[in-house]
């Protein structure tokens, strides 16, 4: 943390803190509590729904019930840790998004300022703080405010448009200051189990000879890549010179996979497991389009390959691969409008049987302790 808190008109600049999904607080010394709240939206559906908040020693669970959909967020504001997931009715979870970042203006509070305004909700007095998520937001909006009790509990929140008209608001219905059990703020352990996400959704036919199993090791300008394939499963693991790592394994036929990234920016995980929606048959864990034959050939390690554009007509990113007749990637060129791309060339090729258990992310990448979470059954 930078700076100190004053009694009034105080300002703090944190490394980062999550807003909305994980309630804002100006201090770590917040008592255990359980809160029932109501959320109202002016510009999105549903217009109104209920929220329950459970807090224990800095860790929070926020549960929104929107009709049949229950949205759960677990996290720690000061540690900038958040896990988001949801489920429909009695169905099990089909996705999870976990982050532990140092700076990420899209989901974090960069600065908070205590205002002169006070308020009261459900018999609890509070003072309003303005939460600033990026430099431009303070001037152009939207403007986000959080109302804290004297002991630091958020009991209200409001977001205003540039013209100061309300966009959304959260208000307290009931607050109970009492011990909260660890299980109430701990996400289910299966959300960190790779087999929960990668368990095959159905039986798949035996591989065609034109889609062989393989392992390839590639060298790029900035990183090394390892690729494994057992159709329809594919793994890509990239390790860079700066110590960053990106691990992704997915099912090419379903909306199913795990992506984990770790770098100086933080630690991030996304996972999904749901069959393709017949209404949206193109929806997959990893977006794919029809490959475009570039009518260019190359040779790597004595093997011929043909170039294909895997992301045609994409403005901010690109991916081209030079593939052998049986689908082994010998060269990969990746471009990105957000980060620097890389060009990879195979230095080792093994056509061999590959099992799904070889594609499981390393324990240190997916274990709950990587983010600081404890888990519940």
């Amino acid at each position: 943390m930078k700076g100190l808190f004053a009694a009034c008109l105080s300002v703090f600049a944190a490394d980062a803190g999550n807003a909305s999904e994980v309630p804002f607080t100006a201090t770590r010394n917040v008592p255990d509590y359980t809160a029932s709240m109501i959320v109202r939206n002016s510009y999105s559906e549903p217009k109104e729904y209920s929220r329950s908040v459970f807090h224990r020693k800095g860790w929070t669970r926020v549960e929104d019930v929107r009709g049949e959909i229950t949205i759960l967020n677990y996290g720690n504001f000061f540690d900038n840790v958040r896990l988001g997931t949801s489920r429909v009715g009695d169905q099990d979870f089909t996705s999870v998004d976990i982050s532990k970042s140092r700076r990420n203006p899209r989901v974090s509070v960069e600065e908070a300022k205590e205002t002169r305004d006070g308020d009261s909700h459900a018999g609890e007095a509070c003072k309003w703080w303005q939460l600033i998520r990026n430099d431009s937001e303070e001037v152009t909006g939207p403007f986000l405010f959080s109302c804290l009790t004297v002991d630091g509990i958020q009991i209200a929140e409001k977001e205003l448009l540039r013209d100061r008209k309300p966009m959304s608001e959260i208000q307290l219905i009931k607050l109970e200051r009492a011990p909260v059990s660890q299980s109430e703020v701990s996400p289910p352990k299966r959300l960190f189990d790779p087999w929960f996400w990668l368990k095959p959704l159905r039986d798949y036919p035996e591989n065609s000879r034109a889609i062989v199993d393989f392992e390839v090791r590639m060298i790029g300008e900035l990183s090394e890549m390892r690729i494994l394939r057992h159709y329809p499963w594919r793994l890509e693991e990239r390790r860079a010179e700066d110590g960053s790592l990106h691990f992704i394994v997915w099912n090419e036929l379903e909306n199913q996979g795990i992506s984990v990234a770790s770098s100086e920016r933080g630690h991030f995980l996304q996972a999904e497991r749901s069959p393709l929606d017949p209404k949206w048959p193109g929806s997959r864990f990893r977006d794919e389009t029809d490959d475009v034959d570039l009518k260019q050939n190359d040779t790597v390690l004595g093997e011929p390959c043909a170039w294909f554009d895997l992301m045609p007509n994409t403005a901010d990113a690109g991916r081209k691969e030079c593939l052998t007749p049986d689908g082994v990637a010998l060269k990969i060129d990746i471009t990105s409008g957000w980060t620097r791309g890389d060009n990879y060339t195979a230095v080792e090729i093994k056509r061999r049987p590959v099992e799904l258990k070889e594609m499981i992310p390393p324990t240190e990448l997916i274990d709950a302790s990587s983010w600081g979470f404890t888990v519940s059954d």
Side-chain angles (χ1 to χ4, degrees):
M1 296 292 297
K2 301 176 182 178
L4 300 174
F5 294 97
C8 62
L9 292 178
S10 55
V11 177
F12 86 91
D15 289 338
N18 287 311
S20 188
E21 297 94 345
V22 179
F24 165 73
T25 178
T27 174
R28 288 183 179 270
N29 188 27
V30 176
D32 287 12
Y33 71 88
T34 302
S36 298
M37 314 186 84
I38 192 76
V39 182
R40 298 186 180 92
N41 294 313
S42 299
Y43 292 90
S44 62
E45 297 293 339
K47 294 295 185 182
E48 186 173 294
Y49 56 88
S50 64
R51 167 172 292 184
S52 300
V53 182
F54 304 83
H55 176 269
R56 182 181 189 272
K57 296 183 178 179
W59 292 90
T60 310
R61 175 178 125 235
V62 178
E63 182 170 325
D64 293 343
V65 178
R66 308 181 187 183
E68 293 185 354
I69 301 174
T70 300
I71 299 175
L72 296 163
N73 280 281
Y74 299 81
N76 186 307
F77 178 85
F78 272 95
D79 290 344
N80 205 17
V81 177
R82 185 191 71 88
L83 181 154
T85 187
S86 64
R87 60 188 174 203
V88 178
D90 295 330
Q91 297 180 23
D92 210 338
F93 303 106
T94 58
S95 66
V96 70
D97 184 348
I98 314 174
S99 66
K100 183 175 184 178
S101 59
R102 293 181 177 87
R103 296 183 67 85
N104 191 339
R106 291 175 298 174
V107 298
S108 301
V109 174
E110 296 297 323
E111 185 180 359
K113 299 179 180 180
E114 188 178 1
T115 72
R116 297 181 182 274
D117 299 326
D119 210 336
S120 178
H121 296 275
E124 294 279 349
C126 61
K127 290 187 176 181
W128 285 102
W129 291 66
Q130 182 178 359
L131 310 183
I132 301 168
R133 291 167 290 194
N134 55 62
D135 293 338
S136 63
E137 191 174 79
E138 186 173 11
V139 178
T140 62
F143 305 100
L144 182 63
F145 296 87
S146 175
C147 209
L148 302 184
T149 63
V150 67
D151 53 357
I153 299 173
Q154 176 179 278
I155 61 171
E157 184 179 279
K158 60 185 178 182
E159 190 163 11
L160 309 178
L161 297 172
R162 185 172 185 174
D163 58 5
R164 299 288 173 167
K165 290 183 178 179
M167 183 175 176
S168 64
E169 63 176 356
I170 304 170
Q171 293 183 347
L172 178 71
I173 296 176
K174 181 181 178 181
L175 176 65
E176 181 180 4
R177 293 174 177 85
V180 172
S181 67
Q182 184 64 50
S183 62
E184 292 282 14
V185 296
S186 299
K189 63 182 179 181
R190 64 185 180 280
L191 296 179
F192 299 89
D193 180 0
W195 288 110
F196 175 76
W197 300 109
L198 298 180
K199 181 181 178 180
L201 299 173
R202 58 188 174 91
D203 292 330
Y204 299 107
E206 292 296 324
N207 286 354
S208 164
R209 289 187 177 182
I211 310 178
V212 299
D213 286 14
F214 67 79
E215 177 182 5
V216 172
R217 188 168 66 89
M218 313 185 86
I219 300 293
E221 298 175 7
L222 303 174
S223 60
E224 294 188 8
M225 183 188 295
R226 184 172 71 101
I227 302 175
L228 292 177
R229 185 179 70 183
H230 175 76
Y231 189 77
W233 302 96
R234 185 180 177 102
L235 173 149
E236 291 186 4
E237 180 181 0
R238 282 184 275 172
R239 295 180 181 270
E241 296 176 356
D242 62 4
S244 61
L245 168 64
H246 184 205
F247 184 105
I248 178 171
V249 55
W250 74 99
N251 185 325
E252 295 183 282
L253 296 178
E254 315 278 9
N255 184 30
Q256 182 179 22
I258 300 174
S259 175
V260 192
S262 181
S263 69
E264 291 183 353
R265 292 181 55 247
H267 194 37
F268 309 91
L269 181 147
Q270 289 182 306
E272 293 188 22
R273 52 164 286 113
S274 59
L276 289 179
D277 188 335
K279 298 179 182 178
W280 305 96
S283 176
R284 289 190 174 93
F285 180 75
R286 175 167 172 165
D287 291 335
E288 297 176 1
T289 59
D290 293 333
D291 301 347
V292 174
D293 189 345
L294 297 176
K295 307 300 182 181
Q296 299 174 7
N297 299 309
D298 215 327
T299 302
V300 178
L301 299 177
E303 292 202 38
C305 60
W307 280 100
F308 291 86
D309 188 346
L310 276 58
M311 299 177 66
N313 305 316
T314 304
D316 59 354
R319 184 183 178 107
K320 299 176 182 177
E321 295 189 7
C322 198
L323 304 175
T324 64
D326 56 359
V328 180
L330 301 183
K331 283 188 175 183
I332 299 177
D333 292 350
I334 299 174
T335 58
S336 173
W338 300 98
T339 60
R340 183 176 175 182
D342 210 342
N343 301 318
Y344 298 92
T345 301
V347 294
E348 185 178 14
I349 305 168
K350 295 179 181 178
R351 290 177 174 84
R352 64 170 181 83
V354 174
E355 297 184 39
L356 181 56
K357 65 182 180 181
E358 298 180 62
M359 301 183 180
I360 298 301
T363 301
E364 64 271 17
L365 288 182
I366 199 170
D367 189 84
S369 62
S370 300
W371 289 268
F373 283 110
T374 57
V375 296
S376 64
D377 293 332

